[in-house]
Amino acid sequence: MEKALQFLSGLSQNNDRAWFHAHKAQYQEATAAFEALVGRLMDALRRVDGNIPQALPRELTFKLMRDTRFSHDKSPYHPAFRAHIGPSGKLPVPVGYYIMVSPGGRSFLGGGLFADMFKDVTARIRDAIAAQGDAWARIVSDPAFQAYFTTVRGTALKNVPRGYDPAHPQAEYFKYKSFYVEYPLADAQVLDDGFVASAVQVFQAMQPFHTFLNQALEGFEMPKRA
């Protein structure tokens, strides 16, 4: 992974197409290293989570190229390698395990729902929290969970939306449109020989959280692309 971090460090300082194409061989080496890591993570996760199917690592990764059409930031690349290992591969639903590798201590392991554009998905999770507030509270307050994740994150509204009780013990979560957790990683952790084993420990701490979300999302189908 040292080659991957070195390439990404150069890309973050020279985020333009000319530099990228001049360093294509370095990019290919870095990509191969990251895909190998994703493959090892997937194999390790399959041993502890029976919902994870076999897949080619490249099918679980995201492109470096950014869509800049509606962004003020016109830099063409994400200086990060990213992958999602879930029951449906890299699709966000059902929720799965996310890894982002970016130099300078910007890497992290994540889980939960990162996509907040599907209103039905958000509503299903809010409804589940409303109906099973005690179960949700036990999951997010469990010491095994909090050992890695201090809080559930997500894009949120300013107020509790209409239709939900603002006096509910978990009312703060009704404001959320996405529900995810992140565990930050130093560069040294990513480079450590024991990284896959330690990453799986972090991912295992997410499993009750994932189970709750995926039960709420049972039956939801991702929209088909035209």
Side-chain angles (χ1 to χ4, degrees):
M1 288 305 295
E2 189 171 356
K3 289 181 179 179
L5 288 174
Q6 286 174 350
F7 169 77
L8 293 170
S9 181
L11 181 61
S12 64
Q13 296 170 42
N14 305 274
N15 200 328
D16 61 72
R17 290 180 176 82
W19 186 93
F20 183 88
H21 289 293
H23 294 78
K24 195 164 186 179
Q26 189 180 359
Y27 161 69
Q28 290 170 339
E29 284 187 329
T31 299
F34 181 65
E35 288 181 355
L37 174 65
V38 171
R40 293 195 299 273
L41 272 174
M42 176 188 65
D43 290 342
L45 281 168
R46 280 170 50 79
R47 291 194 286 271
V48 298
D49 186 340
N51 295 312
I52 302 300
Q54 186 71 46
L56 294 173
R58 66 173 177 269
E59 296 173 344
L60 305 174
T61 62
F62 297 90
K63 295 180 180 179
L64 265 64
M65 182 72 74
R66 296 180 63 249
D67 183 350
T68 61
R69 290 174 298 174
F70 308 107
S71 174
H72 293 296
D73 180 2
K74 298 301 180 183
S75 54
Y77 304 103
H78 286 287
F81 286 121
R82 300 166 295 144
H84 182 265
I85 306 171
S88 293
K90 68 178 181 181
L91 294 178
V93 179
V95 303
Y97 310 98
Y98 184 85
I99 177 172
M100 186 179 92
V101 171
S102 186
R106 294 186 295 273
S107 303
F108 70 89
L109 302 172
L113 179 72
F114 287 86
D116 58 11
M117 69 286 291
F118 306 117
K119 292 182 179 179
D120 182 41
V121 168
T122 297
R124 283 170 178 244
I125 295 174
R126 286 172 176 163
D127 290 348
I129 294 172
Q132 304 171 62
D134 289 346
W136 175 260
R138 284 195 298 272
I139 289 168
V140 300
S141 63
D142 189 292
F145 182 83
Q146 293 200 335
Y148 297 103
F149 318 112
T150 56
T151 184
V152 176
R153 304 185 181 192
T155 307
L157 305 170
K158 289 184 179 180
N159 300 303
V160 173
R162 186 177 300 174
Y164 295 92
D165 180 7
H168 190 287
Q170 306 302 323
E172 192 65 23
Y173 291 107
F174 299 155
K175 300 177 184 178
Y176 284 39
K177 296 193 289 183
S178 50
F179 305 78
Y180 60 84
V181 291
E182 293 181 357
Y183 178 76
L185 297 167
D187 291 358
Q189 289 175 280
V190 177
L191 296 173
D192 189 272
D193 290 342
F195 173 67
V196 169
S198 59
V200 170
Q201 283 187 324
V202 176
F203 285 143
Q204 283 185 285
M206 300 177 188
Q207 287 181 338
F209 177 66
H210 281 181
T211 297
F212 185 97
L213 296 179
N214 283 332
Q215 286 177 347
L217 298 174
E218 192 171 349
F220 175 82
E221 293 186 10
M222 290 290 296
K224 297 289 191 294
R225 290 189 175 184

